[in-house]
Amino acid sequence: MEGNPNSVFHPSKWLPKVKGRTFGTELVKVTPEFIAFMQEDGIRIHKKYRAKDDEENEEEQDEEEPAIELVGMDDALDAALEKLNRCCFVKLDGVAPKDAVGWLPGLKASRVEDVLLVLKASDIVGEYFSVADAATQQSMTVVLRKWYQLIELREFRCFVIGGVLAAITQRHAWAVFPEPKATFEEFRSDIKKFYDTIVKGAIDASEYCFDVYVEKREAPYKIWLIDFGPLDFKQEIVTREETDAAIAAGKAPLLKIIEEIGQIRKDRVSTLQVPWEIDGDEDGDVIRTIGELMKNGTAENLSLIHI
């Protein structure tokens, strides 16, 4: 959710405070060689990191311009991958290469080559990296998180204002929840307890949002922290006015979800996640069809990658 390595929302700032309640994470500091790799044109992976099949099927690179070798950092990345059972989701600081799913199925990294490929292939990561000054680039961190097949309809975004949990919303606004409405009250209660006991005080900020995942099992539900980020309502299904009103009326946290097919919307994140043939569905017919399946409970496993 947040990129700046100096931000209070950077994983290095809050991970030590929430151990055991978030997904396994390893942090690897970038090196000058990595910065050079990100700065050069094209995607050239050193043959040291490529699979043998790739080496056999590709022409040898020009020896006069060898690909960059990440001496030292490559060993650190490999060790981090090993600790997470070689099944990882990759970020640069807090920026995820969501648009690189076409380069690596599920964005599931198991080798150093995978890590380098998705970070370099991503326009989102590339933009974040390129606009940063030299000092910021040098302080960046490659974040490896244990990869899980998450059901996106169990991801929630929570909004904190003035230290108060003001609202809980559906994280992905592209489908209707299949659960009965009474279940959402249980979600609200358990997420509120999670905020009070785990999240509150984990970062040095009075206004922010955080994402959680509700593990599917009988109540009380197991809650997992995904990430933190700055408060921003531009792309959300709740407004600042609604959250302020909930606090003023003593009804916080407000719970807001997609309840009808007509409320489903497609935003930049969803267009990066859905298959290419669905992107461009201007009338929303395909998106509504997926929503109907989710509502009927017949497509619960139609989840996409965890972001």
Side-chain angles (χ1 to χ4, degrees):
M1 290 170 66
E2 174 66 13
N4 189 340
N6 300 312
S7 168
V8 295
F9 305 112
H10 191 272
S12 62
K13 301 295 194 301
W14 53 265
L15 277 171
K17 302 177 182 179
V18 296
K19 285 185 177 179
R21 301 311 298 269
T22 190
F23 306 123
T25 306
E26 294 292 327
L27 307 178
V28 178
K29 296 293 294 182
V30 305
T31 61
E33 291 80 9
F34 177 84
I35 294 174
F37 167 76
M38 291 295 293
Q39 290 174 334
E40 73 171 357
D41 293 333
I43 303 175
R44 298 193 309 132
I45 307 295
H46 194 282
K47 63 181 181 180
K48 175 181 178 180
Y49 314 125
R50 301 203 307 270
K52 290 185 178 180
D53 290 342
D54 294 338
E55 290 186 51
E56 293 173 358
N57 295 328
E58 292 180 5
E59 295 182 3
E60 287 296 322
Q61 296 180 20
D62 189 341
E63 291 298 329
E64 294 182 0
E65 294 184 36
I68 297 172
E69 182 178 358
L70 308 186
V71 180
M73 184 179 174
D74 51 6
D75 289 337
L77 286 171
D78 193 64
L81 287 164
E82 185 65 27
K83 286 183 180 179
L84 298 174
N85 298 320
R86 297 194 175 277
C87 187
C88 302
F89 184 75
V90 185
K91 295 182 179 183
L92 182 60
D93 290 331
V95 180
K98 298 171 287 188
D99 54 337
V101 67
W103 292 82
L104 183 67
L107 293 180
K108 188 188 297 186
S110 62
R111 299 177 294 140
V112 173
E113 177 187 15
D114 299 335
V115 174
L116 300 179
L117 179 62
V118 294
L119 293 179
K120 191 61 188 290
S122 170
D123 289 336
I124 296 174
V125 172
E127 180 180 359
Y128 164 69
F129 179 85
S130 63
V131 300
D133 58 32
T136 300
Q137 290 178 351
Q138 292 167 12
S139 63
M140 289 180 177
T141 304
V142 173
V143 180
L144 302 178
R145 308 208 72 184
K146 178 65 176 175
W147 193 99
Y148 291 95
Q149 181 66 52
L150 300 186
I151 298 173
E152 290 190 335
L153 287 187
R154 288 190 169 268
E155 290 183 51
F156 292 86
R157 174 153 289 182
C158 307
F159 300 80
V160 176
I161 299 175
V164 176
L165 180 58
I168 301 169
T169 71
Q170 182 175 337
R171 174 67 182 89
H172 303 282
W174 58 271
V176 177
F177 274 85
E179 280 91 351
K181 288 187 176 181
T183 304
F184 299 127
E185 289 304 318
E186 296 177 351
F187 287 169
R188 187 208 316 250
S189 176
D190 289 340
I191 293 174
K192 176 65 166 58
K193 291 177 182 177
F194 184 76
Y195 168 73
D196 289 335
T197 58
I198 304 296
V199 175
K200 194 172 185 178
I203 62 172
D204 185 20
S206 61
E207 294 194 353
Y208 56 91
C209 58
F210 63 95
D211 292 344
V212 297
Y213 182 74
V214 179
E215 187 176 330
K216 187 172 184 179
R217 65 177 188 177
E218 297 299 321
Y221 297 92
K222 179 74 171 181
I223 310 296
W224 295 93
L225 176 65
I226 297 176
D227 211 346
F228 283 99
L231 200 64
D232 186 354
F233 293 92
K234 292 179 181 178
Q235 303 266 338
E236 308 300 340
I237 62 175
V238 70
T239 65
R240 179 63 186 252
E241 289 73 23
E242 288 175 311
T243 55
D244 287 346
I247 293 174
K251 296 182 178 181
L254 168 71
L255 178 65
K256 191 167 185 180
I257 61 171
I258 300 295
E259 299 184 74
E260 300 176 355
I261 297 299
Q263 295 177 316
I264 291 176
R265 63 177 175 78
K266 185 174 67 170
D267 57 19
R268 181 169 182 260
V269 171
S270 65
T271 58
L272 289 170
Q273 293 177 300
V274 298
W276 292 331
E277 62 269 21
I278 295 180
D279 188 18
D281 172 37
E282 298 301 334
D283 295 328
D285 294 334
V286 179
I287 298 297
R288 279 193 291 274
T289 299
I290 293 175
E292 286 286 3
L293 291 173
M294 298 301 294
K295 183 178 181 181
N296 296 332
T298 56
E300 187 179 53
N301 292 322
L302 188 63
S303 61
L304 303 174
I305 59 169
H306 160 54
I307 291 184

